[in-house]
Amino acid sequence: KNEVEQSPQNLTAQEGEFITINCSYSVGISALHWLQQHPGGGIVSLFMLSSGKKKHGRLIATINIQEKHSSLHITASHPRDSAVYICAVQGQFYFGTGTSLTVIP
Amino acid sequence: NAGVTQTPKFQVLKTGQSMTLQCAQDMNHEYMSWYRQDPGMGLRLIHYSVGAGITDQGEVPNGYNVSRSTTEDFPLRLLSAAPSQTSVYFCASSYDGGPNQPQHFGDGTRLSIL
């Protein structure tokens, strides 16, 4: 049983497209994190959410605590957005398996 | 800012060998942790520490030991390497380990056990 489920597992998009990655979780949480992992492995924290919506540049993250669901949106996608995006909850003890995004020029 | 530094970046071991993966952070963070990342699985917590002298087990602790003698360092020891421990290992730290604290990750150690 996975406490955190992400969809889709893999995603290929054309440059400029609007992208949505989904995360559903089954545990009670006080915060949800979105992480980015580039080829070569480094992991960086993108967002930390406990309610509502946050925006950073072309990235937008939303969370619905009642529905136990979060989404990460990328507007005007670019090849440099190609990476694995990981959802994590409960102090980052539980991680999703990641969504591998490839943006084609 | 160095952040979280892991060494080595790559390592190949033979079954039965022991080794230590090093992790150091320069942000004065109390909370440090080790994860392993395997294909098709999310990051899984091996061990964590909430401060110097305090360690605890995570989800997959078997075959690994840790110690935390200083705030800065949190080494992970493989006592007798097994092929099942082939993985990418990440060390991370956060201010106090609270669920609202962002974690800072090292660049990872890619370990192969033959």
Side-chain angles (χ1 to χ4, degrees):
Chain A
K1 174 181 177 294
N2 291 332
E3 288 78 7
V4 181
E5 299 278 358
Q6 284 185 240
S7 64
Q9 285 189 316
N10 298 286
L11 182 57
T12 300
Q14 290 291 133
E15 183 173 356
E17 284 186 6
F18 180 86
I19 289 162
T20 296
I21 299 169
N22 296 301
C23 174
S24 296
Y25 52 91
S26 59
V27 293
I29 69 168
S30 56
L32 180 143
H33 299 253
W34 281 101
L35 310 172
Q36 181 190 55
Q37 184 173 23
H38 274 287
I43 300 173
V44 296
S45 179
L46 295 175
F47 291 104
M48 184 173 56
L49 290 166
S50 55
S51 65
K53 180 166 96 172
K54 284 192 176 180
K55 184 174 187 290
H56 184 242
R58 295 178 294 105
L59 273 59
I60 303 166
T62 64
I63 189 168
N64 185 317
I65 296 291
Q66 287 74 27
E67 294 186 3
K68 295 188 174 180
H69 181 268
S70 175
S71 293
L72 176 68
H73 305 286
I74 304 175
T75 62
S77 59
H78 189 277
R80 64 175 174 266
D81 297 325
S82 298
V84 175
Y85 293 85
I86 301 169
C87 172
V89 302
Q90 193 63 24
Q92 303 189 22
F93 275 31
Y94 301 113
F95 293 79
T97 54
T99 294
S100 179
L101 171 65
T102 302
V103 181
I104 299 170
Chain B
N1 278 344
V4 178
T5 303
Q6 285 184 241
T7 56
K9 293 195 185 310
F10 303 94
Q11 184 72 47
V12 179
L13 292 176
K14 293 182 179 177
T15 298
Q17 286 186 314
S18 63
M19 82 159 293
T20 299
L21 277 62
Q22 302 291 345
C23 176
Q25 53 91 11
D26 61 358
M27 296 171 283
N28 204 31
H29 285 170
E30 291 295 327
Y31 183 88
M32 296 185 74
S33 54
W34 276 101
Y35 298 93
R36 60 178 289 173
Q37 186 178 42
D38 300 294
M41 306 186 75
L43 287 155
R44 292 184 291 168
L45 183 66
I46 304 172
H47 284 284
Y48 65 97
S49 168
V50 297
I54 306 169
T55 64
D56 209 343
Q57 296 181 349
E59 182 185 356
V60 289
N62 292 341
Y64 307 95
N65 274 0
V66 292
S67 60
R68 186 94 180 270
S69 57
T70 67
T71 300
E72 294 77 20
D73 300 298
F74 190 44
L76 178 73
R77 295 184 187 84
L78 279 71
L79 306 173
S80 177
S84 61
Q85 293 178 305
T86 293
S87 187
V88 181
Y89 292 84
F90 287 95
C91 178
S93 73
S94 69
Y95 177 69
D96 61 6
N100 297 329
Q101 295 292 327
Q103 288 212 34
H104 300 260
F105 288 84
D107 289 337
T109 295
R110 193 172 296 271
L111 182 62
S112 294
I113 316 294
L114 305 178

